[in-house]
Amino acid sequence: MLALLMSTTLVLASTDLPTAAPPAEDPLLVAADEAGVDEPAGEASGPWVFPQVSAPVDDGLARADRGACPSGVVVLTFDDGPDAELTRRLLRTLDDLNVPAVFFMVGRRVAQTPGTARAAHRAGHRIANHSYAHDQMTKQTNAAIRSTLRRTDTELRAAGVRPTPLMRPPYGDMDARVERVIRGAGLVPVMWDVDPRDWERWTTQQIADRVLARLQPGGRNIVLQHDGIRNSPASIAAVPRIVRQARNRGYCFGTLDDAGRPVLPTPRVTASIAPRTEGEDLVVRLRLNAATIEPTSVRVRTRDGSAVAGVHYQPVSTRVRFRPGRTTATVRIPTTADDVYRADTRLTVELSAARGLVIGTAQVPGRIVESMRPPRVRLIGGITRASEPSRDRTGEVTVRLGRVSGRRAVVVLQPARRSGLTWTQRVVIPAGSREVTVPVEMPRVRRSETARLRVWVVRTSHARATDEWTKVAVRPAQ
């Protein structure tokens, strides 16, 4: 029976489905105003990847009886939007819950708030046709039906959305003639299985309870809600409870493929690496954006940057496997500590050869933080003798590091303020060196006197100095 249902292209409505006439209290569309700044048009960049119409029949629904989804798949669908405020609120909720959805959008509403339609598309949700003005199709001519479908498609594409071939007639109002026209336009009509009748002004609690009570293990479980009617705030607020409770009951949340069948999205794997001090393990954290119901895997390997394998870290090349139900994994990369102060080193972790997964970012940078403190600076002055009789004399200061460094150190010197001198001397000690001697200008004195000066360290880079100073003296020439 399950295979038979899956092979049916038209998704049939349940007994909750309204017939040709709209309900007594028409779910009036909320007036929409554009909110925020429209983003540039473009392709979807969200986290979801879905099978298309060519997907095999052995989809998420058929496989939901094992692994992470023992109760099956639930598909959230939302009609009558987009609404500039409510739909964006819903998008934030879905993102927080890591749940995909299908939006059946009204063309007139898309024209009013194209940026909202584009935001839903770019978040990775599937966008479908719900007519242009939400009219009953059984009361329209064939030409009028084709026109409303075409106008909605035009508005969606103008908004930067690539619509799916899915279509839901307003009010579920479809007979054999309407179905033929819809299919003739190249679209697939899709109904629903779970209808909480959220347009009847139910509370958030009531809407959630009505959805949860109608979920069927192993069923299609296509849920109908609205993001563009007066009671949509209550319906949107019910989504977190619906998702949490359904997950607790063993359901996974999927979407609809191009044939209108419930499927689970292909999980997307991403990686992150927090910086670690040398000597500690770099930890690569792999995460799937959806539970896997089959064993999946991805190849993880390291690539040198400024960090060199075998010197700064131990290379890794391994295949990470995710068991059904698992969404996280870690890979540890041992790093090596030494007694040389140097710049932080970097490497790259590559993800490749994914099986049953889509790779989010193929290359992830990692940073090994230097553990050694910068070497301490010492100034060495001393007494020298002028080479010739003159009031203008030059002394010498040696800038010495406490140990050899793997980084270039910079030490900035200045004379004591009371000397009357205003020079600044920038001393560079190359990596691998320990000391540099530099000339310094001395105060002017009588030719027969000794010139004296106190020199201070005022700034350092990759070196340490605390109240470091030295005395320099230059005796007169003999």
Side-chain angles (χ1 to χ4, degrees), residues 5 14 29 34 45 48 50 72 79 84 90-91 93 110 150 159 167 237 240 266 330 348 403 445 449:
L5 291 174
S14 72
L29 300 179
E34 180 66 22
S45 59
W48 308 105
F50 305 113
D79 286 11
L90 174 59
L91 291 175
T93 298
V110 174
R150 183 171 56 252
M167 192 276 156
T266 301
T330 59
T348 299
R403 64 177 184 275
V445 296
E449 292 180 348

Side-chain angles (χ1 to χ4, degrees), residues 215-238:
L215 296 181
Q216 296 295 321
R220 292 182 303 273
N221 295 318
I222 302 174
V223 180
L224 168 64
Q225 291 180 258
H226 297 82
D227 62 327
I229 62 174
R230 289 179 177 172
N231 202 39
S232 285
S235 191
I236 292 170

